[in-house]
């Protein structure tokens, strides 16, 4: 059954969900929306490709968004959760804007409004990136007369105002004492059903994302080669089929293979390795940080920490990328915050807190250095 909704502008939006298909269109009259929805349902039932609304009926940005989504679905491209959320938010805030009113000043006002409401530079950059994509798609695929140039000019203006830009890169790294406290907190809590102590160790050892840890299965593990396949790994240039074999290493102070052996006893080696919802893992992590009064630490920071420790262990950027999954080596820079003290060779570090540096000791050390 199609859903027909009247929009604040007076137009009608028809949404058809049938046999796993989703098609939507916006019309000026209810009668047109009803007729189109009925025809789409019949086409789906007959196995015929459903038709999107004619471009002539597209008069608002919301209509363009619907048209863009319908075109992607038609060619078998799924809308990712993050993109879908942004597009839905754009439909709420700008969806009723008529195409002829979607000009530079209107877009600049929208950007200022979003910034005033708390949207950061990176969030606004994403908004305008999708607006540009929607308009470009409409012009290129359907020949709809829209002004892509106005989006570019508005973006430049908002960039000059400092409202659009890159996100602030985090440099928060947990100390070993913080990690030990978090792991100890979970280990001493018998009511904690999720094996958070092992998950935290595994996150640092593998530099894997929260969702990836909760997604991998035992069938993805190559026991002989100690490789774990992460399927459809996040990649801005390739959304699907981006499978990567990640080596289970012991270079970060935590042994990934040891964690898997422990977890295998719990799960019996079937199903998902860590059969828990990613949000539940995040909630448990935040709870521990609050209890331990550890401030400004997120679960994703464990990925940063693992990446940094791999570099500190002496791996080259090419080898680190084989673990973290970064195709663009430049991206590794934002995940790597090396500690200055890690540059010292461990054998040459002197524990000045314990040493009594009397003048004779200093002279003796100086003499040894000269003779060397």
């Amino acid at each position: 059954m199609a859903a027909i909704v009247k929009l604040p502008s007076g137009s009608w939006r028809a949404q058809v969900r049938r046999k796993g298909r989703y098609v939507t269109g916006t019309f000026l009259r209810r009668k047109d929306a009803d007729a189109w929805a009925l025809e789409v349902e019949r086409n789906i039932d007959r196995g015929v490709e459903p038709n999107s609304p004619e471009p002539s009926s597209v008069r608002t940005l919301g209509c363009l968004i619907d048209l863009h989504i319908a075109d992607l679905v038609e060619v078998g491209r799924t809308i990712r959760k993050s993109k879908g959320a942004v597009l839905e938010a754009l439909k709420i805030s700008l969806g009723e804007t008529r195409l002829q009113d979607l000009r530079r000043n209107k877009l600049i006002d929208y950007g200022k409004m979003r910034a005033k409401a708390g949207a950061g530079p990176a969030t606004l950059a994403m908004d305008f990136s999708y607006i540009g994509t929607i308009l470009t798609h409409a012009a290129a695929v359907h020949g709809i007369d829209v002004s892509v140039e106005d989006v570019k000019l508005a973006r430049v203006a908002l960039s000059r105002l400092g409202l659009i830009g890159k996100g602030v890169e985090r440099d928060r790294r947990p100390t070993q004492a913080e990690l030990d406290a978090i792991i100890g907190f979970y280990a001493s809590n018998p009511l904690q059903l999720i094996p958070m102590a092992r998950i935290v160790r595994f996150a640092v050892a593998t530099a894997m994302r929260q969702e990836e840890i909760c997604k991998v299965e035992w069938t993805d593990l190559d026991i002989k080669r100690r490789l774990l396949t992460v399927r459809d790994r996040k990649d801005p240039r390739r959304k699907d089929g981006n499978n990567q074999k990640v080596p289970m290493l012991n270079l970060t102070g935590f042994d990934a293979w040891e964690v898997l052996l422990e977890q295998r006893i719990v799960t019996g080696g079937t199903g998902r390795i860590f059969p828990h919802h990613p949000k539940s893992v995040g909630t448990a992590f935040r709870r521990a940080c609050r209890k331990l009064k550890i401030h400004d630490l997120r679960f994703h920071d464990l990925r940063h920490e693992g990446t940094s420790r791999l570099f500190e262990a002496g791996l080259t950027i090419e080898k680190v990328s084989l673990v973290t999954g970064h195709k663009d080596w430049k991206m590794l820079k934002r995940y790597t915050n090396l500690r200055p003290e890690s540059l010292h060779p461990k054998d040459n570090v002197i524990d000045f807190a314990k040493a009594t540096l009397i003048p004779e000791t200093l002279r003796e050390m100086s003499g040894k250095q000269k003779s060397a």
Side-chain angles (χ1 to χ4, degrees), residues 16-19 21-23 39-50:
V16 178
R17 289 181 174 86
R18 198 175 186 87
K19 295 183 178 180
R21 302 301 303 272
Y22 172 72
V23 190
E39 182 64 22
V40 167
E41 289 177 338
R42 287 172 176 170
N43 286 338
I44 292 176
D45 290 339
R46 292 196 302 263
V48 178
E49 192 65 32

Side-chain angles (χ1 to χ4, degrees), residues 85-210:
V86 175
L87 294 182
E88 190 61 33
L90 286 174
K91 285 171 67 174
I92 293 173
S93 55
L94 280 176
E96 300 308 312
T97 304
R98 299 176 68 84
L99 298 183
Q100 59 265 35
D101 298 331
L102 202 63
R103 299 304 180 202
R104 177 185 56 82
N105 58 333
K106 174 76 174 180
L107 292 168
I108 292 175
D109 289 340
Y110 165 76
K112 290 179 178 179
M113 179 271 294
R114 287 278 285 140
K116 189 175 181 180
T123 301
L124 265 181
M126 183 175 294
D127 282 359
F128 275 79
S129 175
Y130 281 129
I131 293 173
T133 297
I134 295 298
L135 297 188
T136 301
H137 176 91
V141 178
H142 296 285
I144 298 175
D145 185 18
V146 290
S147 177
V148 179
E149 189 63 26
D150 278 316
V151 180
K152 295 179 180 178
L153 291 174
R155 183 164 187 157
V156 170
L158 292 170
S159 298
R160 297 289 178 85
L161 294 173
L163 301 181
I164 281 184
K166 295 182 179 179
V168 178
E169 296 182 1
R170 285 179 60 81
D171 58 2
R172 175 68 160 97
R173 288 187 59 180
T175 64
Q176 186 60 47
E178 288 175 331
L179 290 174
D180 291 342
I182 292 172
I183 293 171
F185 172 83
Y186 293 129
S188 62
N189 185 358
L191 300 179
Q192 177 64 53
L193 299 179
I194 303 176
M196 286 298 299
R198 284 194 290 275
I199 288 177
V200 168
R201 290 160 53 203
F202 192 73
V204 178
T206 62
M208 286 171 58
R209 298 177 179 88
Q210 186 173 324

Side-chain angles (χ1 to χ4, degrees), residues 303-304 307-308 311 316-337:
R303 174 169 164 82
H304 299 197
T307 304
S308 299
F311 277 109
T316 61
I317 192 169
E318 298 92 336
K319 292 180 179 179
V320 171
S321 67
L322 291 177
V323 180
T324 62
H326 290 92
K327 298 296 189 298
D328 185 354
W329 291 348
K330 294 178 182 178
M331 288 295 294
L332 277 172
K333 182 178 181 298
R334 71 184 297 268
Y335 286 99
T336 307
N337 306 290

Side-chain angles (χ1 to χ4, degrees), residues 12 49 64 67 96 104 107 116 190 213 235 245 294:
W12 296 87
E49 192 65 32
L64 289 189
L67 189 61
E96 300 308 312
R104 177 185 56 82
L107 292 168
K116 189 175 181 180
I213 293 173
D235 185 344
K245 297 182 184 299
I294 297 175

